[in-house]
Amino acid sequence: MDTTILDDSLTLKKYDREDMLTRLQEMPSLCQLAWRMAADFNLPPEYANVDKVVISGMGGSAIGGDLVTSLVATEARIPIMTCRGYQLPAFVDDRTLLIASSYSGNTEETLTAFEQALKTGAKKLAITTGGKLSTMAERRNIPVFSFDYKAQPRAALPFSLIPILCFLQKLGLISDKSREIVETVPTLEKLSRRISESVPIDRNLAKQLSVRLHQHLPVVYGAGIASEVARRWKTQLNENSKAWSFYEVFPELNHNAIVGYQFPAELAGKILVVLLRSPLLPERVLLRYQVTCQLLEQARVDYQIVDGDGDYPLGQVMSLTLFGDYVSYYLAILYQVDPSPVKAIDFLKERLARNK
Ligand code: PA5
């Protein structure tokens, strides 16, 4: 494989027909825009009177909620969870903030869960570009945070993540995040300058990692604030690169996954473990990264550590996320596929719609 194709803008354009690259480049400014829009968005005052938060969504519209839950896990005074699927937890009641997040507004599982929420006294909010979700909510005067951004749902991540953070702050459920936002934008811009398409492969760590991942099975490890970023890497490698990928989370992986490095023996040389690390993680967890790397070496499994940037958790999470988004983009180019379309998902949704 001629890896210098990653430095050739014509080759990138040839495969990236829907211009995913521009979506990646826009991520820093979108974070800022999404924060501003959310800050200007008024929530009814009674929404502060909740003792749990449930974020309902699927795929690229659920991951924002996942990243929020891992970001605020150690400070939130009430439980905050994402809910994937048709069924809302039975505990959703009038003291629940129920956020339905769907880029298209037409995702079957999210709509079914939202219909259930309508039968409860939960404080409801929709985050969407439109679709049935928007119509259902507006008809009942439920607040809709709507945004207009033409992209694949997963590329609209800032709109499904940053507003939730802003709303939780507004409702007094978490601490003020404005300083973190102010730091995150330049942190992402700086990172983009290091890993963007114009930086040649010999100086570009994201391109180099995509080359290592090419024809390998990526297994992504994360912990704490980086645990849901590991999920994001996995899903971006699936959807952008059209590749198999799996993820695991510390410290749980130290209680099972490390025992399974042995078989099938021929797999060891085909796997690349990517460890997403942050200096903000607790010391004992960082020690686990070290020992796990020793175990990987003993098992002759290749690995690569990727460190986050920024002084605050949000910068760490978003920089690790953007790094992974770029890696999955470059890997798509190495596999000579368009990063944007997700034909299998479209096929599945169409088949399900036909059988209603
Ligand atoms: O990335 C994707 O295209 C999917 O994971 C979608 O986000 C998922 O199918 C849900 O659709 P939506 O985001 O429109 O609710």
Side-chain angles (χ1 to χ4, degrees):
M1 160 66 52
D2 174 16
T3 56
T4 58
I5 62 164
L6 295 179
D7 293 340
D8 176 25
S9 60
L10 287 180
T11 306
L12 299 190
K13 277 203 185 85
K14 176 176 155 198
Y15 295 113
D16 183 15
R17 284 181 287 270
E18 289 180 37
D19 200 11
M20 180 65 84
L21 183 58
T22 300
R23 309 284 91 78
L24 300 185
Q25 290 162 342
E26 286 171 345
M27 171 97 73
S29 59
L30 283 189
C31 288
Q32 199 162 30
L33 174 67
W35 180 264
R36 230 181 297 128
M37 284 168 60
D40 289 343
F41 187 83
N42 288 325
L43 286 172
E46 67 272 19
Y47 275 39
N49 184 20
V50 293
D51 59 11
K52 52 205 156 326
V53 179
V54 175
I55 304 153
S56 158
M58 301 301 300
S61 291
I63 191 69
D66 294 326
L67 293 170
V68 168
T69 55
S70 60
L71 265 167
V72 304
T74 55
E75 65 154 306
R77 290 179 292 102
I78 61 173
I80 299 174
M81 61 171 282
T82 47
C83 167
R84 287 183 165 75
Y86 294 90
Q87 187 68 42
L88 281 183
F91 61 69
V92 169
D93 61 10
D94 55 351
R95 299 216 59 209
T96 306
L97 172 62
L98 186 284
I99 303 176
S101 173
S102 169
Y103 175 89
S104 61
N106 290 324
T107 298
E108 179 173 312
E109 300 94 314
T110 315
L111 289 174
T112 308
F114 192 64
E115 266 163 19
Q116 283 168 30
L118 293 177
K119 295 184 195 132
T120 72
K123 275 88 181 164
K124 294 166 277 286
L125 166 71
I127 299 181
T128 185
T129 61
K132 290 185 194 143
L133 179 61
S134 186
T135 313
M136 280 163 75
E138 276 161 5
R139 204 176 286 152
R140 293 163 179 87
N141 286 326
I142 292 167
V144 179
F145 179 86
S146 60
F147 59 95
D148 182 17
Y149 183 64
K150 300 277 169 294
Q152 290 290 327
R154 59 193 180 279
L157 174 70
F159 291 107
S160 65
L161 187 165
I162 304 288
I164 298 181
L165 216 49
C166 185
F167 298 149
L168 296 181
Q169 169 191 318
K170 275 188 182 207
L171 298 175
L173 303 173
I174 57 169
S175 64
D176 189 343
K177 298 290 171 224
S178 31
R179 263 180 59 189
E180 296 204 31
I181 286 285
V182 168
E183 192 231 29
T184 296
V185 176
T187 298
L188 295 183
E189 287 167 346
K190 224 158 103 190
L191 174 64
S192 301
R193 286 196 289 276
R194 295 203 320 264
I195 61 172
S196 73
E197 79 294 349
S198 57
V199 181
I201 193 163
D202 57 333
R203 288 188 281 117
N204 188 322
L205 292 178
K207 287 183 182 176
Q208 288 168 17
L209 179 51
S210 73
V211 171
R212 289 194 76 193
L213 285 172
H214 186 238
Q215 303 299 1
H216 282 73
L217 173 62
V219 178
V220 190
Y221 288 179
I225 54 169
S227 52
E228 294 301 325
V229 188
R231 184 203 289 265
R232 167 74 174 183
W233 273 61
K234 178 249 178 224
T235 56
Q236 291 291 80
L237 289 162
N238 297 148
E239 293 185 66
N240 287 349
S241 323
K242 326 296 182 222
W244 287 89
S245 181
F246 300 95
Y247 83 103
E248 300 257 7
V249 170
F250 283 102
E252 177 64 18
L253 74 89
N254 282 164
H255 298 270
N256 35 65
I258 53 173
V259 190
Y261 293 161
Q262 254 179 299
F263 301 116
E266 26 329 342
L267 258 190
K270 275 283 167 197
I271 287 178
L272 184 81
V273 175
V274 180
L275 298 100
L276 306 180
R277 198 173 59 178
S278 164
L280 305 183
L281 289 173
E283 218 174 284
R284 297 292 297 169
V285 174
L286 290 173
L287 182 58
R288 286 176 182 276
Y289 275 70
Q290 263 183 40
V291 182
T292 302
C293 289
Q294 286 170 10
L295 288 165
L296 288 167
E297 278 161 32
Q298 286 168 16
R300 297 186 199 291
V301 176
D302 277 345
Y303 67 89
Q304 166 105 35
I305 297 174
V306 177
D307 285 308
D309 297 327
D311 296 334
Y312 295 102
L314 185 61
Q316 289 283 322
V317 163
M318 292 309 292
S319 60
L320 285 169
T321 297
L322 186 60
F323 198 105
D325 286 7
Y326 268 101
V327 169
S328 67
Y329 174 84
Y330 295 133
L331 187 57
I333 304 299
L334 291 175
Y335 282 131
Q336 307 184 351
V337 290
D338 187 340
S340 294
V342 280
K343 285 188 192 143
I345 300 177
D346 298 340
F347 172 82
L348 190 128
K349 285 184 178 176
E350 192 264 321
R351 278 301 153 103
L352 284 168
R354 249 200 252 173
N355 285 294
K356 266 198 174 149

